[in-house]
Amino acid sequence: MDCYVYILKSRKNERHYVGCSSDVSKRLKQHNQCESKSTAPHRPYDLIYSERYRDQKSAFSRERQIKSYKGGKAFKKLIEYPEGVGGGVVNRNRL
């Protein structure tokens, strides 16, 4: 089953949230409908980045890697220039 690592950006205060899900659209709706305590105070969110993985283990590993960036240069580069040109939602396949 495919699993996605995604990055959301708050329209309220521009904070980012990194997560993992098999259904990114459904998860985004849950975040925006206050179904997640950790993200509720910062909603609404926009999806700004996603990567698809073949399995949950690989996706969780990537999620931890992205979270380890802690908003540093690697994180900023990932969200600002996801395909080397900047802008737009990216869905990178890691199969």
Side-chain angles (χ1 to χ4, degrees), residues 71-88:
K73 289 181 185 179
F75 183 81
K76 289 175 184 166
K77 183 177 179 181
L78 183 69
I79 62 171
E80 289 176 8
Y81 305 104
E83 290 294 336
V85 293

Side-chain angles (χ1 to χ4, degrees), residues 28-41 43:
L28 177 60
K29 286 178 188 174
Q30 290 172 333
H31 284 294
N32 282 329
Q33 293 173 351
C34 293
E35 294 182 30
S36 174
K37 290 181 183 181
S38 64
T39 58
R43 68 184 178 98

